[in-house]
Amino acid sequence: MNMPAILLFVALSLHATSALAICKHHDNFMPGDHDQVIGGIIFADYREDKIEAYFYGEMCWTASEIAEEGNRRIFYKLIAGYDANGRIAGYIPLSSSATAIFTCPKGSILSSSNGYFDHLYNPGPGFHTWVCKSTEAAQPG
């Protein structure tokens, strides 16, 4: 396969998975009165082929998880391509694929916010934090 065909396949695959988002409210985070953050995720490379993710509040995902324990889930990385023998040749970098795997519920948008959940979980180096922020105006309490 040539590179444009691979990119088209990846784009179509990602588009197809976005319609199959699974959303869940994890009861481990409640936003403050004037906080637009409704949930989020801390994630990092777990192994060469896996992503380790910790979910907080309201958050969605589009890929099938291979392990789940509480708010911790492990996902296979998205495959970039195969070699001539049919073996996996590489994975889409986490920085590029995470936005296709981790999404927000309707009425919110995804944004990077490293350190936001550090007080709930001290993730250490190599972890990234994204949050879902409500697009609705904050209502006075």
Side-chain angles (χ1 to χ4, degrees), residues 3-26:
M3 186 55 85
I6 291 171
L7 293 175
L8 178 60
F9 173 76
V10 169
L12 291 173
S13 297
L14 295 178
H15 177 71
T17 60
S18 65
L20 303 174
I22 299 167
C23 297
K24 182 175 180 180
H25 188 289
H26 296 84

Side-chain angles (χ1 to χ4, degrees), residues 50-103:
K50 295 177 182 73
I51 298 168
E52 181 175 21
Y54 295 84
F55 288 77
Y56 296 93
E58 292 185 56
M59 193 67 196
C60 305
W61 60 95
T62 60
S64 294
E65 72 270 14
I66 57 173
E68 174 190 3
E69 182 179 334
N71 70 322
R72 177 180 182 251
R73 295 176 187 275
I74 297 175
F75 299 84
Y76 279 118
K77 289 184 182 176
L78 300 179
I79 298 170
Y82 297 89
D83 65 15
N85 297 319
R87 293 180 299 229
I88 296 171
Y91 298 93
I92 298 173
L94 183 57
S95 58
S96 302
S97 63
T99 56
I101 296 173
F102 308 123
T103 62

Side-chain angles (χ1 to χ4, degrees), residues 3 17 20 23 26 28 35 42-43 47 72 75 87 90 93-94 97 101 104 109 114 117 122 126 133 136 140:
M3 186 55 85
T17 60
L20 303 174
C23 297
H26 296 84
N28 56 1
D35 195 350
I42 297 173
F43 64 93
R47 292 188 183 139
R72 177 180 182 251
F75 299 84
R87 293 180 299 229
L94 183 57
S97 63
I101 296 173
C104 291
I109 56 171
N114 283 337
F117 296 111
N122 189 7
K133 291 184 179 180
E136 297 175 15

